[in-house]
Amino acid sequence: MIAIIDLGMGNLRSVEKALHRLGYPAQVTSHAPLVLKAPAVILPGVGAFARAIAALDRTGLEAVIRKTIEDGKPFMGICLGLQLLFEVSEEFGEVPGLGILRGRVRRLSGPAFAKPVLGPTERPVARKVKRSGPAPAWDPIPEDFGKPKPDPSLEAPGPGLKVPHVGWNSIRIENLHPVLAGIPEGSMFYFVHSYAPVPEEPDVVRATTTYGIEFVSAVGRRNVFACQFHPEKSGRVGLRMLENFARQAYPKGPTEPPGFEWQERPQRS
C-alpha cells in the first residue's frame, strides 16, 4: 500500500483516487507506524510551510520520512511536499525545512510580476488618540492623527503577472528521472503556488517552468522525486507520472484492476 501523508492541508483524496484509478492500493494517513511500513510514500500538501513542519514534528512523521528515504523506498513530494524537502523557506520569515535537499524556498518575484498589495493585517496602524477638545499648545498632535493616510507602498498593483501562479503551464525536462519516463517535453501540468525552490545543487534539478521567471518545477535524487505541480490534477500525463512512481514499489504493475475503489479508510493518529 502506498502511504499518502495527511498533514490536514489540501485535498489528499485526489491523490488517493488517482492511484486507485491506476489500480494501486493507496491510503491517506497520519499514522506514523503505517507510513513506516509502506513500500512507497507520497507527501502532498497546499498551505503554509511553517504549519506543515509543525504537523510533521507533532505526529512524528518527520523521522518517518527520513527513515523512508534512508531505506531507499520511493518517496514523492507534491507542491508543498516539494518545498518541505529544502533547508529553509522564506515564507513569513525564515522557517527551517527538512533539509533533505540543500537550498531555499523563495517567493515568485521580479519585474514581470504585479506589485504586491499588503493585506489588512500588514498595513501600518496609526496610534488612536482620544480627545475631548482642541489640542492644547503644549500637545501639538494634528487633529487627523488617527486617520489613515496614503501610503505609496499600498498602491494598487500595476500590470504584471499575479501571484499565486495558478493554472496550466509547461515543463522543460532538464535531467531524466524514472518518474519522468515517457513524459513528453513541454507537457502541461496544473500549478497552484506562490513559492518555488532554489536548489544549491544543480544535479537535483529535473524540470523547470517559466512564469515571469524560470523556476525549478521538479527535483529528484535516487529514490526521491518531488514536483511543484499537481500530477493528480493534470490528466493523462499526470497519471503517467504517478504510474511511473508506483511501479518503483510494484514492479509487476497494478495489484488491482484499474479503476477499482480501495475501501479501507484513512487512519489518523
Side-chain angles (χ1 to χ4, degrees), residues 140-153:
I141 299 177
E143 295 296 333
D144 64 347
F145 180 84
K147 297 180 181 180
K149 297 180 180 180
D151 186 334
S153 67

Side-chain angles (χ1 to χ4, degrees), residues 4 8 37 117 122 130 161 166 182 193 203 240 249 251 266:
I4 302 167
K37 293 178 182 178
V117 177
E122 299 172 287
K130 292 184 179 180
L161 297 174
V166 180
H193 66 116
D203 64 302
R240 173 60 188 270

Side-chain angles (χ1 to χ4, degrees), residues 49-151:
F49 189 98
R51 179 184 168 193
I53 286 292
L56 288 174
D57 181 63
R58 183 178 64 253
T59 57
L61 286 167
E62 177 178 345
V64 171
I65 289 173
R66 295 185 186 280
K67 178 64 174 173
T68 296
I69 294 173
E70 289 172 3
D71 288 349
K73 294 180 182 179
F75 179 89
M76 184 176 191
I78 297 176
C79 196
L80 182 59
L82 171 145
Q83 298 176 11
L84 294 170
L85 295 176
F86 286 85
E87 294 173 301
V88 65
S89 171
E90 297 179 358
E91 183 180 2
F92 301 116
E94 293 199 350
V95 181
L98 296 176
I100 304 297
L101 300 175
R102 292 174 57 193
R104 305 174 70 85
V105 176
R106 291 176 174 164
R107 183 178 174 86
L108 298 175
S109 62
F113 294 89
K115 185 178 180 181
V117 177
L118 297 179
T121 60
E122 299 172 287
R123 295 171 181 266
V125 180
R127 176 170 63 91
K128 293 183 178 180
V129 178
K130 292 184 179 180
R131 198 188 300 282
S132 58
W138 50 264
D139 185 17
I141 299 177
E143 295 296 333
D144 64 347
F145 180 84
K147 297 180 181 180
K149 297 180 180 180
D151 186 334

